[in-house]
Amino acid sequence: MTKNKREDILEAALILFAERGFDGTTVPMIAEKAKVGAGTIYRYFENKEFLVNSLFQTTVQQFSNTLKQDFPYTTTDIREQFRHVFYRMIEFANNHVHALQFIDSHSNTYNLDDKSNQMFEEFLDFFRQLLEDGKKQGIISPLPSDALISIVYGAFSHLFKIIRLGVIEETPSLLEGVEQSCWNAIRVY
Amino acid sequence: MTKNKREDILEAALILFAERGFDGTTVPMIAEKAKVGAGTIYRYFENKEFLVNSLFQTTVQQFSNTLKQDFPYTTTDIREQFRHVFYRMIEFANNHVHALQFIDSHSNTYNLDDKSNQMFEEFLDFFRQLLEDGKKQGIISPLPSDALISIVYGAFSHLFKIIRLGVIEETPSLLEGVEQSCWNAIRVY
DNA sequence: GTCAATGGAATGAATATTCATTCCGGAACC
DNA sequence: GGTTCCGGAATGAATATTCATTCCATTGAC
């Protein structure tokens, strides 16, 4: 028995929301997986919506922290910064198998409240900053930063979706190749 | 009043499933949007699951047809074939605003039956073929085709997601730039 | 008038949420 | 130390609501 039931509930909810979506997940399902009574969930979260939002916010925060950890702020080498971010994303995807899927399938949905959406925006700002710096240096494509983010993030999340599904195997050389591909997509020639 | 209620139901369902997902959409919601009685839906579809699957299959078929229309099968110029496919995808995204979103959010979910999944696989085969041809010519990156598909398709669908959300504006020069970026991501240097 | 098509109320199953009750750790008392 | 109380945490059965599906009276085409 874990001492922290709140954590148990969040962990169970993360897996279920990631796999089945918000509406496809019932509160009793979460309770069962978390090994708590259904009523217990309401001791920790006002209702199901507060639960997703709380979960979304902490998950985005975790993701954000992972990217920023040891980020080479001092260098002006955009290529190096990009590689850092990309490999941190990989690390996050591997260490929190369901978190990426959860964020992906729930961002910008009608279930989320303003705060959740705002936190996700702030998370994106980190990418925007990196890209803007690169553009100033003439290294990154002059396309809108949000478009470039879509390309890299869209590619990345779709890739991990098929890895999760077992379509392709995650190997160091695959990841290296994909990282280079993504860089090629956004760099200037 | 349209003569074809079946079409009305499918169209209403497409929009709702795209915006709210399968589990977030209720049958009465579909009935209301299609301006038919809830019971009428059951005259055309055995149940809600048959409805999504039927819709998914026709939508994927439409998408597939769009890509193949006027496809330059005779040329060996992979670059030209890629551009064709990419611009057809754009055309489809614009002419069927909710279709892309629907396919994206429902492919590989537990709501779909084997036939739906199989049709989606066959749809992907078209991309696989194109990429394999390019690899033989030494023009396309030797990464697994499914990874390359993820990169291009993931980037594309994410891009249209933010266009839909109004984050960026869809202009010819944006699309041109993104097409080039995606090509840069998968080509060999 | 016949009969298939239709709409939407009715039904029963599932679901989110509530709440009366149980459980448990530790304080207070002997 | 042992025993009794107490307060808050936890529970899951009960309730209220929502949903997919069915049913049937009405409509309208022929």
Side-chain angles (χ1 to χ4, degrees):
Chain A
M1 194 210 296
T2 325
K3 57 215 78 148
N4 198 341
K5 294 194 183 279
R6 192 172 194 277
E7 285 303 314
D8 294 348
I9 293 165
L10 285 170
E11 196 182 318
L14 177 69
I15 295 169
L16 287 165
F17 286 152
E19 287 176 347
R20 313 178 50 92
F22 178 75
D23 292 301
T25 301
T26 70
V27 174
M29 270 182 209
I30 299 169
E32 191 192 19
K33 189 175 269 281
K35 297 196 178 106
V36 301
T40 305
I41 290 175
Y42 289 85
R43 290 195 54 75
Y44 291 95
F45 303 96
E46 202 167 319
N47 57 39
K48 199 183 164 190
E49 299 231 329
F50 275 76
L51 171 55
V52 227
N53 279 287
S54 175
L55 183 59
F56 186 83
Q57 288 160 28
T58 63
T59 307
V60 167
Q61 192 57 251
Q62 269 188 341
F63 197 3
S64 176
N65 290 343
T66 301
L67 300 192
K68 287 171 180 164
Q69 191 190 319
D70 299 328
F71 181 80
Y73 285 106
T74 52
T75 184
T76 54
D77 185 347
I78 300 292
R79 182 70 188 90
E80 185 193 335
Q81 292 185 331
F82 179 82
R83 183 177 284 113
H84 173 93
V85 169
F86 201 89
Y87 275 94
R88 284 286 187 223
M89 283 165 67
I90 291 169
E91 185 192 318
F92 183 78
N94 283 322
N95 290 349
H96 309 274
V97 192
H98 297 94
L100 189 72
Q101 192 180 2
F102 170 64
I103 292 177
D104 232 49
S105 57
H106 288 76
S107 61
N108 296 300
T109 61
Y110 65 98
N111 306 297
L112 296 186
D113 62 23
D114 290 345
K115 191 177 173 208
S116 292
N117 288 320
Q118 190 202 320
M119 279 196 63
F120 190 65
E121 269 319 296
E122 284 168 15
F123 166 67
L124 292 179
D125 282 340
F126 182 67
F127 291 94
R128 292 192 183 104
Q129 187 57 246
L130 174 61
L131 293 168
E132 293 299 331
D133 287 353
K135 284 190 215 173
K136 281 202 195 90
Q137 291 184 29
I139 290 174
I140 295 286
S141 160
L143 288 171
S145 290
D146 285 320
L148 298 176
I149 290 173
S150 274
I151 294 172
V152 175
Y153 185 74
F156 176 82
S157 69
H158 211 279
L159 181 78
F160 269 84
K161 178 180 172 183
I162 67 169
I163 287 173
R164 212 187 297 129
L165 290 170
V167 176
I168 57 174
E169 200 197 346
E170 182 188 343
T171 64
S173 76
L174 172 77
L175 297 175
E176 204 180 304
V178 171
E179 195 270 345
Q180 184 63 53
S181 281
C182 287
W183 173 254
N184 290 340
I186 64 168
R187 64 165 289 203
V188 151
Y189 284 94
Chain B
M1 192 208 296
T2 324
K3 55 216 80 145
N4 198 342
K5 291 188 186 283
R6 191 172 194 276
E7 285 304 313
D8 293 348
I9 294 165
L10 284 169
E11 196 181 319
L14 177 70
I15 295 169
L16 288 165
F17 286 152
E19 287 177 347
R20 313 177 48 93
F22 178 75
D23 292 305
T25 302
T26 70
V27 173
M29 270 182 207
I30 299 169
E32 191 192 19
K33 188 175 269 280
K35 296 196 177 106
V36 300
T40 304
I41 290 175
Y42 289 85
R43 291 197 53 73
Y44 292 95
F45 303 95
E46 204 166 316
N47 57 40
K48 197 183 167 191
E49 298 231 328
F50 276 75
L51 171 56
V52 227
N53 279 287
S54 175
L55 184 61
F56 186 83
Q57 287 160 29
T58 63
T59 307
V60 167
Q61 192 57 252
Q62 271 187 341
F63 197 3
S64 176
N65 290 342
T66 301
L67 299 192
K68 287 171 181 165
Q69 192 190 317
D70 300 328
F71 182 79
Y73 283 106
T74 53
T75 185
T76 55
D77 185 345
I78 300 291
R79 182 71 187 91
E80 184 192 338
Q81 292 185 332
F82 179 82
R83 183 178 286 112
H84 173 93
V85 169
F86 201 88
Y87 275 95
R88 285 287 186 220
M89 283 167 66
I90 292 169
E91 184 192 318
F92 183 77
N94 282 323
N95 290 349
H96 309 275
V97 192
H98 296 94
L100 189 73
Q101 193 180 1
F102 170 64
I103 291 176
D104 232 47
S105 57
H106 287 75
S107 61
N108 296 302
T109 60
Y110 64 98
N111 306 297
L112 295 186
D113 62 22
D114 291 344
K115 193 178 171 205
S116 293
N117 287 319
Q118 190 201 322
M119 280 196 60
F120 190 66
E121 269 318 295
E122 284 167 16
F123 165 68
L124 292 179
D125 281 340
F126 182 68
F127 291 93
R128 293 193 183 104
Q129 187 57 245
L130 175 61
L131 293 168
E132 292 301 330
D133 287 355
K135 284 190 215 172
K136 280 199 195 91
Q137 290 184 30
I139 291 173
I140 296 286
S141 159
L143 288 171
S145 290
D146 286 320
L148 297 176
I149 290 173
S150 274
I151 294 173
V152 175
Y153 185 73
F156 176 83
S157 69
H158 210 278
L159 180 77
F160 270 84
K161 179 180 171 182
I162 67 169
I163 287 174
R164 210 188 299 130
L165 290 170
V167 175
I168 58 174
E169 198 196 347
E170 182 188 345
T171 64
S173 75
L174 172 76
L175 297 175
E176 205 180 303
V178 172
E179 196 270 344
Q180 185 64 52
S181 281
C182 287
W183 173 254
N184 289 341
I186 64 168
R187 66 165 289 203
V188 152
Y189 285 93

